[in-house]
Amino acid sequence: MAARGHVQDPNDRRLRPIYDYLDNGNNKMAIQQADKLLKKHKDLHCAKVLKAIGLQRTGKQDEAYAVAQEVAALEPTDDNSLQALTILYREMHRPELVTKLYEAAVKKVPNSEEYHSHLFMAYARVGEYKKMQQAGMALYKIVPKNPYYFWSVMSLIMQSISAQDENLSKTMFLPLAERMVEKMVKEDKIEAEAEVELYYMILERLEKYKEALDVVRGKLGEKLTSELQSRENKCMAMYKKLCRWPECNALSRRLLLKNSDDWQFYITYFDSVFQLIDESWTPPPEEEHSLEGEVHYSIEQAVKFIEERITEESKNSRPLRGPYLAKLELIRRLRYRGCNDEYKLGDPEELMFQYFKKFGEKPCCFTDLKVFVDLLPSNQYPKFISQLLEVIPLSATAESEIALPASIKALQQHLCVVQLSRLLGIYHTMDKRQKLSVVREFMLRYRHGLEFGKSCLKTELQFSDYYCLLAVHLLLDLWLEGEETAVWQCLTLLEEGLSHSPSNAQFKLLLIRIYCRLGAFEPVAELYASLDAKHIQHDTIGYLLTRYAESLGHYAAASQSCNFALRFFHSNQKDTSEHIIQAYKYGAFEKIPEFIAFRNRLNSSLHFAQVRTERMLLDLLLEANISTSLEESIKSMSLSPEEDDIPWKDLRDNRDLTVLFNWDPKGRDISEEHRKLSLEEETMWLRIRSLTLRLVSGLPTLSHTIQPKNSEKTAENGVSSKIDTIRSLLQQLEAAVDSGKKFLEQKIQYPVLGPPPTRMAGFFSNGSCQCQTSLFYLVSVIYELDTNGLEDSAEIQERIGNSFKSLVERLTDLFNKCKGDLIEVRDGTLKTHPNLLENLVFFVETISIALWVSSYCDGVLRPFKSNLQKKKKKKKESSVAMPPVFTHFLDYVNELQTLTSNVIDHIKGLEIILTALKLEELSLKDTLLLQEEKKFTKTVQEKVQSSYHHSVQEIGELLKKRLDTIKKLKI
């Protein structure tokens, strides 16, 4: 902002100190300096705007807005004021105000290229495509430059993309855009590659593939040079759309002759060969095969072509993987089609063996072969693995009974075989003793491999890290089979691995998953921070953090993790607008629809909706009726029970569920079915949470002074419609709960490293769900009492009394499900009970809702009581009978107080037990632990113990605050 041109202007000199203060973050001084300047120069608009920026940055948004609007009303045309106002409106997240600013400026200075272009960009920020089109053409008329003309064309395409009616898009916007470009083509005014790209994009969207192909193959296509093979790729796409398989085949064949390692063209080559075989295509007798040259249309030609590529490749100094993998791909396709010609290519097992000999030391060898292992018969797996092991140069040493690699190359080869063994299910068939022996062998190999990485930087991974990961995967298998100590060994090995390879994201991600499964969130926050997740990763892997933070009682960390995610989602809106503007400036038109699709995908992200909902519930839990009233909290969040801003139909699951490496065979791996079920479960849980939040936000709307029944004003003051909203939401909640229960009846088990299950099962089984719904039903009954009055409402009062009793019973049951040791030592093994912790968190949430409902009840009963006391004084009677509802309510509040005190005492007891737990006396009953592993085991156990201690403390603190609220509820 400080970089200002034309310093000659005396106003620039006067404004300079204010700019400097703002740039250095000294906003108060900027405001003072602006005030001084405005005393002398009242008409210096820019100083006013800079003052408004200072006010905005010091949190005085309303004042800043008022000052800015004063200047905007004068419709300034000086560059300084306009730029300063643009900055201010952007910080206020009000881009629509910038458009008004430049609309006024353009009217006053109609021939300014700069203002017209600023106006266009202002429209781009708010997505006003029609106005963008008009602004682009206005610019072109003032300054006839091609980019401006094509800005207008692109805006037409954007109108077609955003149009709800596809017919309108194809009959009006796109044909108009096409005619505009054709006019430029006829006048021979096409200058840049971006303009050709735009023409191609229009024709493709109009499904005029033939015309698009002609453009790319013609003179205009010569301009497509910025991307490698851009022209060929576009031709290929059009040939596929037009089903011109001979051209597809000839072009892919020609490109493979140039570069026999380009995998995408092998795929097209095979697709086209088999299409031509299915169509029984034969070349025309006299003419050329196709526009692109010679065509292969039989299996024999394909086999010969691949063999030739391998022969050619063998002459290369640098070996290429493409031709060898293409041979396996062809076998796979022939087998899938039931052809008997695959023998012509050789035995897949032998080919894979040869491939391993050639590329086994490359880390990609495993992922290459992984695709083709299903070509091997399962009874050949052990023989195939033995065959691979025989060619690895391993040598036995005096210190070790197993043969170890003497070089990095041999280590990589051995690692590849070990990964293939896991993939082929060889380790899954072993018994416990064999698995433990393999774990020990892997750890020996891991530590031996560290020798090769002594010179590695901290940011580099150790060559042998995968041994440690594979050992952990084997231990996780044992844990799932009921071996309790295995999980502690997993953590021990991973912590050891992380100490040698501090940048290994896989170690961190696995530690995060396992600690969360054990109920220890404290170490997770630090591990996630060290992953240094960037940008989109807050959406793809953020669920690892936000799923567990609150449910394990780490409220402060939960707040922080929600903030991380929300900051990203909110900044996405602003960032994407800037990306779109840059794309217009530099003519990257094909990227603009991609940016907009990206923004929409993030706006309808499942994780975004979850984090938003959980964050608001968490804020209410921590603050409502503690530091601020429930009504104020809800107002500050702009929450309304009627509004539902979650795009249920468009929700997108952007989670990366394969972020953890996995070598499991197909049947044990995460499947498409798991993803679908997980999304269904997450959506159901989100619906329950969202409805709970909306029901809570409806409580303050009911507590108005209500006219007695039969009064005509009841409907006017809107409260009767508010209770209808609450009742409707309650019905929706019941329906969502029923759907959730039906879903859980399927008893779905996700893979251990698959998607984490939601909190829904615990919510139903511990009774929180029944408690919370009963509380919302109670609201409805209290509302009835409020509208009917105390007289003739004996039946309603009795219902309220019964509700109070059953609520206390349910809350007591919920507390009973929280009892028990969080960490226990059994037969020298540590066992954690994270479900007890989750139950405690649900108890705190349910008791908070109970208190918010009680506050509403208190607000209804207080006026009744004061009215009764007034009557009592008038009549001077000592014994006006008190309606039973008051006694019921007082008993209920007393019982809530007693129950909460008991829970706080229970939590104090848990704290004492956790502090007294002497973990160092624990010896994990496993002779496998080496001395160096023992220190990591101790660290792991201390982390878990400290995390539980922290959770219990935070839950206890919050409950104490809630207890203080209960004590104020005496009518």
Side-chain angles (χ1 to χ4, degrees):
M1 191 196 282
R4 298 275 128 193
H6 42 268
V7 183
Q8 305 89 323
D9 185 346
N11 282 341
D12 269 17
R13 198 181 64 251
R14 290 172 188 138
L15 294 168
R16 162 76 54 197
I18 311 178
Y19 281 120
D20 290 341
Y21 284 132
L22 288 172
D23 282 349
N24 298 327
N26 197 342
N27 300 312
K28 283 185 180 170
M29 281 302 292
I31 296 168
Q32 282 174 24
Q33 190 70 27
D35 282 333
K36 264 189 210 170
L37 193 55
L38 284 164
K39 277 178 188 170
K40 292 181 188 171
H41 306 274
K42 285 182 182 173
D43 297 333
L44 194 49
H45 304 322
C46 188
K48 264 191 181 180
V49 183
L50 294 177
K51 176 187 173 181
I53 291 175
L55 290 166
Q56 168 72 16
R57 290 177 184 176
T58 47
K60 296 173 182 170
Q61 282 89 347
D62 295 342
E63 209 177 320
Y65 180 68
V67 173
Q69 289 312 87
E70 270 177 46
V71 179
L74 300 168
E75 299 184 348
T77 54
D78 65 295
D79 199 30
N80 284 340
S81 300
L82 288 169
Q83 290 217 6
L85 275 167
T86 304
I87 289 165
L88 174 64
Y89 289 149
R90 210 176 295 169
E91 287 184 15
M92 286 178 162
H93 306 295
R94 298 286 301 276
E96 71 282 359
L97 296 174
V98 182
T99 58
K100 290 175 184 161
L101 202 61
Y102 279 103
E103 278 167 4
V106 162
K107 273 181 194 163
K108 286 189 173 179
V109 192
N111 289 333
S112 165
E113 179 184 359
E114 188 185 353
Y115 291 171
H116 270 285
S117 106
H118 279 309
L119 177 61
F120 180 88
M121 294 310 174
Y123 287 141
R125 279 197 180 89
V126 291
E128 291 263 16
Y129 302 125
K130 185 161 179 54
K131 287 184 178 173
M132 283 163 73
Q133 180 203 341
Q134 292 160 353
M137 282 316 287
L139 244 176
Y140 183 66
K141 281 172 188 165
I142 299 165
V143 190
K145 289 181 186 172
N146 269 20
Y148 298 151
Y149 186 86
F150 284 94
W151 284 4
S152 186
V153 176
M154 186 63 214
S155 306
L156 270 170
I157 297 177
M158 292 315 298
Q159 284 179 71
S160 88
I161 290 172
S162 59
Q164 299 295 319
D165 181 359
E166 200 179 324
N167 193 30
L168 186 68
S169 161
K170 289 217 171 136
T171 54
M172 189 171 107
F173 298 124
L174 288 172
L176 180 55
E178 184 191 8
R179 284 200 299 278
M180 283 178 77
V181 181
E182 276 172 357
K183 179 175 177 282
M184 295 297 267
V185 173
K186 279 173 191 160
E187 292 171 13
D188 199 19
K189 285 186 181 173
I190 300 280
E191 294 167 0
E193 179 181 3
E195 295 158 14
V196 182
E197 290 268 14
L198 194 56
Y199 191 18
Y200 173 81
M201 193 203 289
I202 293 167
L203 293 170
E204 192 183 14
R205 286 179 180 275
L206 278 168
E207 294 174 17
K208 292 187 174 182
Y209 304 129
K210 170 82 176 64
E211 289 83 344
L213 186 62
D214 294 342
V215 168
V216 178
R217 285 179 61 85
K219 191 177 160 209
L220 287 175
E222 289 167 14
K223 295 186 188 292
L224 299 168
T225 53
S226 67
E227 274 181 49
L228 203 63
Q229 293 171 337
S230 167
R231 208 171 171 187
E232 288 86 347
N233 284 328
K234 284 182 167 57
C235 279
M236 190 75 85
M238 290 304 100
Y239 287 142
K240 282 182 185 171
K241 296 274 189 193
L242 293 163
C243 294
R244 285 169 64 168
W245 300 111
E247 277 78 7
C248 262
N249 181 276
L251 180 57
S252 54
R253 187 189 135 275
R254 205 176 75 226
L255 290 165
L256 285 169
L257 289 171
K258 271 193 206 169
N259 175 8
S260 60
D261 209 31
D262 200 327
W263 187 250
Q264 60 168 334
F265 295 127
Y266 279 113
I267 299 299
T268 313
Y269 176 76
F270 291 141
D271 286 346
S272 57
V273 167
F274 288 117
Q275 284 286 352
L276 292 170
I277 290 169
D278 291 343
E279 291 170 13
S280 311
W281 184 88
T282 51
E286 302 288 311
E287 305 154 37
E288 234 191 313
H289 281 197
S290 74
L291 279 175
E292 298 288 351
E294 190 192 333
V295 176
H296 287 173
Y297 53 93
S298 69
I299 290 168
E300 286 72 19
Q301 285 172 310
V303 171
K304 186 174 173 232
F305 179 67
I306 298 299
E307 293 290 4
E308 282 169 4
R309 298 288 57 72
I310 290 174
T311 315
E312 282 293 314
E313 190 280 327
S314 59
K315 296 174 190 169
N316 258 352
S317 55
R318 188 175 72 87
L320 301 175
R321 292 148 48 220
Y324 298 97
L325 292 170
K327 204 172 191 180
L328 286 163
E329 175 65 20
L330 186 51
I331 291 176
R332 201 164 69 120
R333 288 180 178 231
L334 289 169
R335 189 174 288 189
Y336 177 73
R337 291 169 66 90
C339 297
N340 298 324
D341 298 284
E342 65 171 270
Y343 67 89
K344 295 174 184 170
L345 287 147
D347 174 27
E349 189 180 338
E350 181 55 30
L351 291 172
M352 285 161 86
F353 174 61
Q354 293 303 331
Y355 185 83
F356 175 78
K357 274 167 67 175
K358 212 167 182 61
F359 301 104
E361 77 275 9
K362 294 190 188 303
C364 60
C365 182
F366 167 72
T367 42
D368 287 346
L369 292 179
K370 180 181 181 179
V371 187
F372 301 109
V373 288
D374 52 357
L375 294 176
L376 300 174
S378 53
N379 57 355
Q380 295 287 326
Y381 291 168
K383 178 182 156 241
F384 174 62
I385 294 295
S386 312
Q387 197 182 359
L388 297 183
L389 283 169
E390 280 166 19
V391 294
I392 305 173
L394 300 175
S395 48
T397 55
E399 307 91 68
S400 159
E401 68 274 15
I402 59 171
L404 297 165
S407 66
I408 295 172
K409 187 177 169 182
L411 182 138
Q412 295 282 21
Q413 285 177 315
H414 189 265
L415 258 177
C416 178
V417 177
V418 168
Q419 291 174 76
L420 282 168
S421 306
R422 172 89 184 166
L423 180 71
L424 296 172
I426 288 170
Y427 297 134
H428 292 89
T429 55
M430 293 180 173
D431 61 22
K432 178 189 162 186
R433 194 180 49 76
Q434 289 169 313
K435 279 183 183 170
L436 285 172
S437 134
V438 173
V439 168
R440 184 54 48 226
E441 182 200 326
F442 282 171
M443 287 315 289
L444 198 80
R445 289 186 182 282
Y446 166 67
R447 294 188 187 106
H448 168 259
L450 293 175
E451 297 294 318
F452 300 119
K454 279 185 174 170
S455 60
C456 285
L457 299 172
K458 276 193 169 182
T459 49
E460 293 177 319
L461 307 187
Q462 289 290 334
F463 296 107
S464 57
D465 278 354
Y466 277 20
Y467 282 125
C468 186
L469 278 175
L470 283 154
V472 170
H473 276 251
L474 279 167
L475 287 166
L476 282 173
D477 291 347
L478 286 170
W479 183 42
L480 289 179
E481 287 159 21
E483 188 59 40
E484 208 53 57
T485 50
V487 72
W488 296 99
Q489 269 180 278
C490 283
L491 291 171
T492 301
L493 300 187
L494 286 168
E495 289 282 5
E496 182 185 344
L498 200 56
S499 71
H500 296 299
S501 197
S503 295
N504 192 318
Q506 287 299 319
F507 288 159
K508 292 174 186 176
L509 289 165
L510 256 176
L511 278 167
I512 286 173
R513 287 302 300 269
I514 298 170
Y515 275 129
C516 286
R517 284 284 293 254
L518 291 176
F521 187 79
E522 198 172 47
V524 168
E526 196 182 324
L527 284 162
Y528 188 84
S530 73
L531 276 170
D532 198 15
K534 294 272 192 300
H535 198 67
I536 190 72
Q537 288 172 318
H538 288 300
D539 192 19
T540 55
I541 62 171
Y543 70 94
L544 296 171
L545 198 63
T546 51
R547 156 65 183 88
Y548 290 101
E550 185 191 348
S551 63
L552 295 174
H554 283 260
Y555 296 118
S559 254
Q560 206 177 0
S561 56
C562 287
N563 282 345
F564 275 149
L566 289 174
R567 205 173 301 139
F568 159 66
F569 284 114
H570 291 142
S571 70
N572 154 55
Q573 283 297 100
K574 197 171 75 192
D575 294 348
T576 315
S577 299
E578 295 311 310
H579 298 153
I580 291 166
I581 283 168
Q582 293 307 316
Y584 271 108
K585 275 186 185 167
Y586 296 106
F589 296 122
E590 76 280 7
K591 294 291 166 208
I592 295 169
E594 289 176 28
F595 284 135
I596 286 169
F598 175 73
R599 177 168 67 193
N600 294 343
R601 183 168 175 173
L602 282 178
N603 286 342
S604 48
S605 157
L606 167 76
H607 186 234
F608 181 29
Q610 287 171 323
V611 171
R612 229 171 38 215
T613 307
E614 290 297 344
R615 173 71 224 242
M616 290 194 269
L617 279 167
L618 182 62
D619 282 352
L620 291 177
L621 191 65
L622 299 177
E623 291 164 17
N625 288 358
I626 294 177
S627 54
T628 56
S629 72
L630 179 64
E631 190 167 359
E632 282 167 13
S633 298
I634 286 167
K635 196 178 171 188
S636 70
M637 292 178 197
S638 314
L639 264 175
S640 156
E642 293 88 0
E643 284 172 24
D644 184 5
D645 59 353
I646 296 173
W648 294 105
K649 285 181 183 169
D650 303 319
L651 274 183
R652 289 292 296 267
D653 186 1
N654 297 332
R655 293 174 301 164
D656 183 353
L657 298 176
T658 53
V659 67
L660 286 150
F661 287 170
N662 203 336
W663 298 275
D664 286 344
K666 261 188 189 159
R668 291 167 170 264
D669 203 359
I670 175 170
S671 66
E672 207 45 54
E673 185 63 13
H674 287 134
R675 287 170 190 277
K676 216 169 90 218
L677 289 166
S678 173
L679 173 60
E680 197 181 331
E681 183 181 346
E682 293 285 353
T683 311
M684 283 174 179
W685 178 236
L686 174 61
R687 201 177 284 279
I688 290 171
R689 300 297 279 167
S690 167
L691 287 165
T692 306
L693 176 66
R694 287 169 66 195
L695 279 161
V696 170
S697 73
L699 288 175
T701 61
L702 297 177
S703 47
H704 294 310
T705 45
I706 290 178
Q707 306 297 322
K709 68 173 176 179
N710 303 332
S711 159
E712 288 169 22
K713 290 186 184 170
T714 312
E716 275 175 41
N717 67 17
V719 178
S720 63
S721 63
K722 299 284 182 195
I723 193 69
D724 292 340
T725 305
I726 298 278
R727 285 168 182 158
S728 152
L729 288 174
L730 201 43
Q731 281 178 336
Q732 290 174 47
L733 181 64
E734 285 282 13
V737 166
D738 287 344
S739 308
K741 284 178 178 167
K742 277 192 191 113
F743 179 85
L744 290 175
E745 281 166 14
Q746 299 173 61
K747 294 194 167 46
I748 294 149
Q749 284 292 318
Y750 300 112
V752 67
L753 299 176
T758 63
R759 299 164 64 195
M760 192 158 65
F763 182 62
F764 293 155
S765 64
N766 62 27
S768 309
C769 175
Q770 293 85 330
C771 277
Q772 292 185 15
T773 18
S774 310
L775 281 161
F776 293 124
Y777 273 118
L778 176 62
V779 171
S780 182
V781 185
I782 291 168
Y783 179 85
E784 272 183 61
L785 179 73
D786 199 4
T787 45
N788 286 311
L790 289 176
E791 290 147 30
D792 310 325
S793 63
E795 184 262 337
I796 296 175
Q797 291 186 44
E798 194 181 330
R799 265 161 52 207
I800 292 174
N802 293 338
S803 295
F804 284 152
K805 274 181 199 153
S806 77
L807 269 169
V808 171
E809 282 167 17
R810 280 183 172 158
L811 283 164
T812 312
D813 283 347
L814 176 51
F815 170 41
N816 290 335
K817 286 183 180 150
C818 303
K819 288 178 180 172
D821 290 334
L822 294 174
I823 301 181
E824 60 172 330
V825 180
R826 204 189 286 162
D827 310 330
T829 307
L830 212 56
K831 174 123 177 75
T832 61
H833 294 286
N835 59 315
L836 294 178
L837 207 50
E838 293 211 15
N839 288 352
L840 264 174
V841 170
F842 273 129
F843 178 85
V844 176
E845 189 180 294
T846 310
I847 207 92
S848 301
I849 294 174
L851 292 180
W852 297 328
V853 171
S854 304
S855 294
Y856 167 61
C857 190
D858 181 68
V860 169
L861 295 179
R862 238 175 240 273
F864 282 142
K865 190 161 187 184
S866 59
N867 285 344
L868 277 171
Q869 281 167 338
K870 281 175 196 167
K871 279 182 189 173
K872 201 173 171 182
K873 279 178 187 170
K874 275 183 189 171
K875 291 185 179 178
K876 293 181 183 172
E877 287 176 28
S878 55
S879 60
V880 170
M882 270 293 178
V885 71
F886 294 111
T887 328
H888 294 324
F889 182 65
L890 282 174
D891 291 349
Y892 168 64
V893 170
N894 287 332
E895 282 170 327
L896 273 187
Q897 192 174 326
T898 313
L899 179 61
T900 311
S901 301
N902 291 344
V903 179
I904 292 170
D905 292 343
H906 170 67
I907 286 173
K908 280 180 191 159
L910 288 176
E911 275 191 60
I912 293 163
I913 294 167
L914 283 168
T915 315
L917 200 64
K918 294 276 185 284
L919 292 178
E920 56 268 22
E921 291 166 14
L922 242 186
S923 59
L924 277 180
K925 53 158 194 173
D926 190 351
T927 50
L928 283 173
L929 280 183
L930 304 175
Q931 199 51 48
E932 65 254 40
E933 285 178 7
K934 282 183 178 161
K935 68 172 184 194
F936 290 111
T937 306
K938 188 168 181 279
T939 310
V940 162
Q941 292 176 340
E942 279 169 359
K943 280 182 178 179
V944 172
Q945 181 187 17
S946 157
S947 177
Y948 268 89
H949 195 260
H950 193 126
S951 298
V952 165
Q953 272 181 327
E954 282 207 43
I955 294 169
E957 289 301 314
L958 185 52
L959 265 180
K960 280 176 197 163
K961 288 175 187 170
R962 287 285 165 218
L963 183 61
D964 295 341
T965 322
I966 300 176
K967 287 174 182 171
K968 293 173 192 163
L969 277 177
K970 307 280 176 170
I971 42 173

